[in-house]
Amino acid sequence: MLFAHDTECSLIAAAALVNTAGRDGELLPDIAALDAFFVRHSYSGRHEHTDAELQAVRELRPQLRRIWHAEPAEIVAVVNGLLLEHKALPQLIEHDDEPYHLHAVPRDAPLATRIAVEAAMAMADLVRTGELSRLRICEYPDCDNVVVDLSRNRSRRFCEAGCGNRAAVTAYRARRAASRS
Ligand SMILES: [Zn+2]
Ligand SMILES: [Zn+2]
């Protein structure tokens, strides 16, 4: 583990959320899709199952995507802005069999707020450890999905939407074509 467990989970969830408006189009089309996202990323606490909640979570995506494209100074400004806006106050808590981790807003805060603040806290860890280079854009041609590289050797190049497989297939075909000619 490179970072604290909650940091890694928040980074993965933030990237996954950004990519729900990525190469595969709208992946949060309805409340059921948000429910699935909620479960997949082990969220707990307030979950309204409303269109307003869905809309708020969707609107977070361009805001979070900015972090992937920004210079460190701008990232710091975005992170500080989010923490200030939501009056983040880090507290250690344990719940649902999870070991102690940080919550910076109450569990009954709106889902979009909690996702934003968790992302900001996780980004703060990347800034403090000098690891912002872990935030990348997928290298597959014409894919601009975001990537969080949590591998030891910083080898992650492709997003979770299958671009690694696509790249492997392309490379395989290129090798075959080359050996035939
Ligand atoms: Zn928690
Ligand atoms: Zn990709």
Side-chain angles (χ1 to χ4, degrees), residues 23 138-140 143-145 147 158-164 166:
R23 68 165 290 148
C138 179
E139 289 182 16
Y140 196 78
C143 181
D144 64 349
N145 274 1
V147 174
F158 301 107
C159 73
E160 302 265 358
C163 286
R166 275 186 278 269

Side-chain angles (χ1 to χ4, degrees), residues 45-112:
R46 180 166 162 189
H47 181 27
E48 296 172 2
H49 310 275
T50 60
D51 283 321
E53 179 183 64
L54 173 63
Q55 200 48 44
V57 171
R58 279 187 188 159
E59 281 168 10
L60 204 53
R61 299 181 299 195
Q63 232 184 321
L64 293 180
R65 174 175 272 285
R66 249 178 80 197
I67 296 174
W68 265 264
H69 296 279
E71 297 297 316
E74 189 188 349
I75 294 175
V76 167
V78 170
V79 167
N80 282 343
L82 285 169
L83 296 177
L84 194 64
E85 175 187 346
H86 297 295
K87 300 184 172 55
L89 177 66
Q91 296 282 291
L92 283 163
I93 103 163
E94 51 178 359
H95 62 84
D96 298 317
D97 298 327
E98 282 186 54
Y100 279 114
H101 56 286
L102 286 172
H103 280 202
V105 282
R107 300 185 71 197
D108 60 356
L111 180 59

Side-chain angles (χ1 to χ4, degrees), residues 6-56:
D6 49 345
T7 293
E8 297 199 350
C9 290
S10 299
L11 291 171
I12 289 166
L17 177 61
V18 170
N19 290 340
T20 62
R23 68 165 290 148
D24 294 327
E26 179 57 79
L27 298 180
L28 282 183
D30 50 29
I31 292 170
L34 180 59
D35 290 350
F37 181 86
F38 188 94
V39 171
R40 191 174 320 121
H41 294 284
S42 305
Y43 285 102
S44 60
R46 180 166 162 189
H47 181 27
E48 296 172 2
H49 310 275
T50 60
D51 283 321
E53 179 183 64
L54 173 63
Q55 200 48 44

